[in-house]
Amino acid sequence: MNPIQVGVVMGSSSDWDTMQHAVQILQEFGISFDTRVVSAHRMPDDMFSYAESAAGRGMKCIIAGAGGAAHLPGMLAAKTVVPVLGVPVASKHLSGVDSLHSIVQMPKGVPVATFAIGAAGAANAALFAVAMLANEDPALRTKLETFRAQQTAAARGMTLPL
């Protein structure tokens, strides 16, 4: 079994509607991952434990989705050296703009890569994780190059062979 390379975490199970788009991309590329709910507000001890153990478990990055106050990505980043990719989850009242602002406004020294609100952000965070991993895996790099060529061809109304 492959070691877990990417963590996909969310503040609540209701964030799954968004975060499943990251999981689909990781599965498409054959990246090993785990998924968990580790709320910064409701279960901070679990969240800290997850962050503090990530590097030792061989994780290469954590994709963290959070809505509303969106403290999860920043809190994880404060407790690990593993890169954190923040995905703002659309909220009921402010459509995710509150989440985006919370994630993107981390203080100096607590870096969080921040992506678009919602499904597009989750998918792009996963593709970013794939690109990071592809730097050390030529087969994965080829798979990513093929994926991107297929996207370009699809935009032109063409189909490329796999």
Side-chain angles (χ1 to χ4, degrees), residues 67-68 89-96 98-99:
V89 174
S91 56
K92 184 169 39 171
H93 300 291
L94 295 174
S95 303
D98 51 343
S99 309

Side-chain angles (χ1 to χ4, degrees), residues 2-14:
N2 291 336
I4 302 300
Q5 295 178 293
V6 178
V8 179
V9 297
M10 57 211 89
S12 168
S13 61
S14 64

Side-chain angles (χ1 to χ4, degrees), residues 109-121:
V110 185
V112 176
T114 308
F115 293 85
I117 298 167

Side-chain angles (χ1 to χ4, degrees), residues 15 19 26 38-39 52-53 59 62 66 105 110-111 117 123 125 147:
D15 297 340
M19 298 309 291
L26 296 172
V38 288
S39 171
E52 291 168 345
S53 68
M59 283 194 181
I62 299 169
Q105 294 298 328
V110 185
I117 298 167
F147 175 87

Side-chain angles (χ1 to χ4, degrees), residues 18-23 25 63 87 115 118-129:
T18 296
M19 298 309 291
Q20 69 180 324
H21 299 279
V23 166
I25 295 289
I63 301 171
V87 177
F115 293 85
N124 282 339
L127 287 168
F128 192 88

Side-chain angles (χ1 to χ4, degrees), residues 7-147:
V8 179
V9 297
M10 57 211 89
S12 168
S13 61
S14 64
D15 297 340
W16 177 247
D17 287 345
T18 296
M19 298 309 291
Q20 69 180 324
H21 299 279
V23 166
Q24 289 166 358
I25 295 289
L26 296 172
Q27 288 173 330
E28 184 175 340
F29 282 91
I31 304 295
S32 57
F33 64 92
D34 72 359
T35 57
R36 295 197 195 172
V37 173
V38 288
S39 171
H41 299 109
R42 294 180 188 91
M43 51 188 84
D45 292 337
D46 293 349
M47 183 212 45
F48 286 142
S49 175
Y50 187 89
E52 291 168 345
S53 68
R57 291 183 287 131
M59 283 194 181
K60 303 300 183 195
C61 68
I62 299 169
I63 301 171
H71 289 98
L72 181 60
M75 295 296 289
L76 289 166
K79 296 298 282 183
T80 186
V81 296
V82 172
V84 177
L85 314 178
V87 177
V89 174
S91 56
K92 184 169 39 171
H93 300 291
L94 295 174
S95 303
V97 174
D98 51 343
S99 309
L100 175 66
H101 287 185
S102 291
I103 296 171
V104 79
Q105 294 298 328
M106 289 296 108
K108 181 179 178 181
V110 185
V112 176
T114 308
F115 293 85
I117 298 167
N124 282 339
L127 287 168
F128 192 88
V130 171
M132 288 179 6
L133 294 169
N135 282 321
E136 297 181 16
D137 184 337
L140 186 57
R141 179 183 295 276
T142 299
K143 201 170 185 178
L144 181 58
E145 289 168 349
T146 300
F147 175 87

